[in-house]
Structures are given as structure tokens and as C-alpha cells.
Amino acid sequence: MRLDGRVSAWVGVDGFTGQSYAGTKYSGASTAGYLRLYPGFDGVAANGLQYGAQAEIRENTETSSTAGASTETLYILRDFGYLGLPQFGLVRFGQQEGALYLNDTGRFESGKEAFDSGGWNGDVQNFFVNASARPIYPWTWSNSTRTTDKIDYITPSFSGLSFAVSFEPNQTGENYAPAVTSTTTNTDLRRNTFEISTSYRAKFDGVGLIVDGGYMNAAAVAYNTTANTQPYQGLSVGSLGATVNYAGFTVGGNTKFGNMNGQFEPNYKGAANAVGWLAGGIYSTGPLSIGGSYFVYDSQGDYSHPTTEGTRRETGAAAGATYILVPGVKLFASYLYGTRHQDGYNFLSGKAGSAENDTTAQVFAIGTWIYW
């Protein structure tokens, strides 16, 4: 049995489009933080069967700036169980990430690739940049993919080569059933999502290599109205990633491409396909890691007025450093710069329009994780 966790605390300065808009002004300097808990257990039976469970419990933010801490609640982001044998692999079931995430290197936002808390997919952007000015990349570690009920199968490694497959019946949490398969409400949700991925890991004379690839296919919840002129399409998305490391240096990249919108959401009929790429690097020596990354993501974006709206382009640059002060304490410094653009779409109002078709955002923050 275990109850891991962490407390995060940050202080930062920021500037972004919409910081003063429609009578509301947001601070350019803030503090922020959260608590997370990770209960779980692992066991091995006498016959070699491996089994266990894991969960991730998070803290909701206050419902408003005047509501106070009493409105904060805890919720379960992920929880899954597993059964497996070393020679046959592992089956996982529950509210969890899928095969595409399990073999998805070159993102430079987590694990040994992380140079800060996660770049544009970490702590900083959520605390210091409003969503309207926050650029996105199709991260596989996103709520649209890691918080849904699914079954994963992960193979053993065969001379450095491994595979994973997953199936997600509906884009819902594990405690929501029966799921909706057709609706008159404009709902961009997946159905019958299948993912497959592979990873190859090797080391040659001190040079480490990781190459990953994957594919996601899904149908869409039907959107049925007599006036419906924008039905959703199913997803068909490819994923590739690679990193090379030597003497503390790691460089690499990642790409996602295919018929989707946003972060693995169904695309509109007639809309443009999406393609994104990311490149990054990190150097680690002792307790210190320093690095950076840059991504470009082209997608359809809003499509409520196809004759006047163009496609969307989002970019994000990140640089930072991590220092392990003592076991259980990490110190971070992080800088983010990002842009969003879509002709004919007003990012601040969230509607079609000729104003506010571009946003920029930048943040510098320092922080810490106290973890156990």
C-alpha cells in the first residue's frame, strides 16, 4: 500500500491578450499551487500473477475569485487496476491513458524528458494564462484522452520492441453509463476509439535511441438535427516520436497528424485536417536539468462560419530548468511564449468575428514540488 503525493507552489509574472477585456482585468503577477494524491498498491501472487491498482486525486480550483477555499473539492482524475504475467504482458482497466500515450516519446513535458514542470502542458500555463490565449498541442497527456474509461493491453519487451493496444467504448468516465451515441446537441465526442502503438528502445556504444509510433481511430457521437449542416467525422490520427540521448544530452521530436480537431476531438465535415510537430532538447547533470521545446500546431479550430473563418495555427516555445534540492524537493524556473491565430474568429468572445483573431501570451515563473 502507498499514498504518494505532492504539493506544488508557484509565483509568476505574465502578460497575455485579453488580460484586460470587457470590464475585467487580470493580475500580471500571481501565486498559485495545488495538492495531488496518488494512492495505490502492487502485488505478486505465488503463481507469478502481478496485480494492483492506482489512482490520481486532484484538487479543484475555487469556483470564483470571491468564493473562498471552501468551494475547492477533490476529484478522481484517473484510476485503474491491472493484471498480468511477465511472459504475457499486462491488462489495465479503468479511467486511464491509452496506447497512444504509453508509447509517445519526444514530447519534452514529462519524465526524463521534462526540463521544467511540463512546458505548455505543465503547471504554469493553467495558472498564469487564460484559456483563450493558451496555445495547445495534441498532447496525449490531456484530459480528453487520459480521463476516459478504457482497456489497455501492454506486451512484454522483445529485444527492445514492445506494443500496446487500447479500446475506449465512449469518451466518458468510468462511472457514466449508459453513454450517449446520438444527440441533437452539438457534441464533439468520440465513440469506439481504438489505439495501437509501438516502441523500440536500444543503446549503441553509449547512445540511447527511442522510436515510437501509433495510430488512433474512432467514430463520432452522431449529431442529428434537421438543420444540421456540420456533422462530425470520425478520427484517424497518426503519431510519431523519437529521441536520441548521449552523455546527458537528449534531443528529439514528436508529430501528430490526421483527421481531428483540437486535442483528439472529432472534426467537422469539410474541415481541414490537423498536423502538429514539436522539437526539443534537454541536458541533465547530477541534480540539474535544463532545456527547451517549440511546437507548431495547425488545425481547423472553430468552424461555425466556414465561409469567413480560416484554419487555426498555434505555436508554443518553452524553456526552463529543474534542480533537485534534496530527495522529495524540486525547484523550477520556467518561461513560456505562445501565439494563436485564426482568421474570422474572435478568441476573446469565443465567436466568429474580425477582431481579436490573434493572441499572444508569455510567462516567467519559479516554483517547487514537495513530493513523497
Side-chain angles (χ1 to χ4, degrees):
M1 296 286 292
R2 62 181 181 274
L3 181 58
D4 300 334
R6 77 168 178 250
V7 171
S8 168
W10 290 87
V11 58
V13 292
D14 55 74
F16 55 87
T17 303
Q19 201 154 19
S20 179
Y21 178 71
T24 300
K25 185 174 182 179
Y26 295 92
S27 173
S30 305
T31 59
Y34 60 77
L35 165 72
R36 291 180 187 170
L37 299 173
Y38 304 93
F41 80 96
D42 303 287
V44 180
N47 63 359
L49 177 70
Q50 300 172 337
Y51 60 95
Q54 181 177 318
E56 180 176 347
I57 301 171
R58 292 198 175 190
E59 173 189 17
N60 271 316
T61 56
E62 294 180 17
T63 56
S64 73
S65 60
T66 60
S70 62
T71 60
E72 297 171 2
T73 59
L74 297 179
Y75 69 98
I76 296 174
L77 183 84
R78 301 158 56 244
D79 71 277
F80 62 86
Y82 70 87
L83 297 168
L85 290 167
Q87 63 271 39
F88 295 114
L90 200 68
V91 176
R92 303 194 335 182
F93 40 88
Q95 194 166 295
Q96 57 172 322
E97 55 272 27
L100 220 59
Y101 169 80
L102 295 173
N103 295 313
D104 189 27
T105 195
R107 304 187 318 272
F108 291 93
E109 46 92 35
S110 65
K112 294 182 179 179
E113 297 177 6
F115 49 82
D116 61 4
S117 72
W120 276 104
N121 199 35
D123 293 349
V124 173
Q125 84 286 347
N126 289 325
F127 289 144
F128 300 105
V129 181
N130 281 0
S132 59
R134 194 184 304 155
I136 66 167
Y137 180 80
W139 311 104
T140 47
W141 186 252
S142 62
N143 285 348
S144 67
T145 58
R146 65 180 171 177
T147 63
T148 53
D149 195 20
K150 58 177 70 71
I151 298 174
D152 296 341
Y153 170 64
I154 306 165
T155 71
S157 178
F158 307 100
S159 300
L161 184 65
S162 60
F163 299 87
V165 296
S166 63
F167 178 69
E168 171 200 274
N170 302 285
Q171 193 180 336
T172 58
E174 63 185 351
N175 56 1
Y176 182 87
V180 173
T181 61
S182 178
T183 178
T184 58
T185 303
N186 190 346
T187 304
D188 54 342
L189 295 175
R190 300 184 305 270
R191 289 190 62 231
N192 297 327
T193 303
F194 175 77
E195 300 175 47
I196 185 169
S197 66
T198 185
S199 178
Y200 177 70
R201 298 167 181 257
K203 200 160 190 176
F204 309 96
D205 296 326
V207 178
L209 173 68
I210 303 176
V211 179
D212 290 349
Y215 175 72
M216 173 189 284
N217 183 271
V221 170
Y223 173 34
N224 296 322
T225 66
T226 55
N228 176 22
T229 59
Q230 295 179 323
Y232 290 106
Q233 306 175 80
L235 275 75
S236 179
V237 181
S239 172
L240 294 171
T243 57
V244 177
N245 65 81
Y246 178 75
F249 290 92
T250 300
V251 295
N254 186 277
T255 183
K256 301 288 184 291
F257 50 89
N259 192 10
M260 68 170 169
N261 199 18
Q263 293 179 314
F264 304 98
E265 299 167 358
N267 206 0
Y268 300 101
K269 183 178 181 180
N273 284 356
V275 58
W277 61 266
L278 181 150
I282 182 173
Y283 175 68
S284 297
T285 177
L288 177 66
S289 298
I290 186 169
S293 66
Y294 178 76
F295 71 78
V296 176
Y297 182 42
D298 294 323
S299 64
Q300 178 55 60
D302 189 73
Y303 201 58
S304 59
H305 291 72
T307 59
T308 60
E309 291 181 311
T311 56
R312 182 171 297 181
R313 167 161 286 199
E314 306 182 67
T315 69
T322 300
Y323 186 81
I324 302 174
L325 185 64
V326 294
V329 179
K330 287 184 178 180
L331 305 178
F332 299 102
S334 182
Y335 174 76
L336 305 178
Y337 180 83
T339 68
R340 309 183 83 191
H341 169 80
Q342 184 176 1
D343 288 335
Y345 179 73
N346 187 318
F347 283 100
L348 300 188
S349 69
K351 299 176 182 179
S354 58
E356 308 296 351
N357 299 159
D358 294 272
T359 72
T360 61
Q362 61 179 332
V363 180
F364 176 74
I366 57 174
T368 183
W369 285 357
I370 311 295
Y371 55 97
W372 61 92

